[in-house]
Structure formats: C-alpha cells, structure tokens
Amino acid sequence: MRYWAAAKAAAQVAEEPYRAATLAEALAGVRQRHADLPRLIQVLGHSSFLVDGAPVGGRDHASVALTEGGTVEVLPPFAGG
C-alpha cells in the first residue's frame, strides 16, 4: 500500500505491506491496523486507487484482484486537479 499526499500524512508512513487477495481486503486491513487514525479512515473514503498502475475507477473493490508483490496506490483528491 503506497500512500500519497493527505493519505501519506494521515497514515504517518509512505508505504506498508499487506497480504490480501482483493482491494477490499487490503483496505479492510488498513482500517483495522490504523483504527487509531480516524483521519486516514476518512481520507480512504474519498480516495481513488491504482492497482499495479491501473485505475480502479468505480469497480467494486471486492472484485479487484491483487497480485503478489503488487502495488496499491492511495490517491486522495488533489487541489486544483
């Protein structure tokens, strides 16, 4: 999991590993691991995601499969963009 901008600030780390089969599982892991960081949980709710460089868009997160060693990028809304 790689965090950008406000997500990085809220997570207090730039990236961290997760074991998950789907994006939904990975995000559940983030929420569980960082239950003490409510700002991160809030930012996740407004973020877009890239999985191995491909935009997730409006797809159901439970249907987005993750690859071993792959990357999920958390992209919060950016000002002016």
Side-chain angles (χ1 to χ4, degrees):
M1 191 74 60
R2 188 175 297 152
Y3 303 104
W4 294 97
K8 181 178 174 181
Q12 302 173 2
V13 296
E15 58 185 72
E16 57 190 349
Y18 282 90
R19 287 192 159 281
T22 67
L23 178 57
E25 288 178 18
L27 293 174
V30 172
R31 290 181 183 99
Q32 181 179 6
R33 181 182 289 180
H34 297 294
D36 61 331
L37 298 175
R39 178 69 182 133
L40 176 58
I41 307 307
Q42 181 182 24
V43 169
L44 288 177
H46 299 289
S47 293
S48 299
F49 303 95
L50 298 177
V51 173
D52 296 332
V56 170
R59 290 185 286 161
D60 179 4
H61 295 167
S63 72
V64 179
L66 302 181
T67 59
E68 186 171 338
T71 302
V72 174
E73 299 191 58
V74 181
L75 306 170
F78 291 92

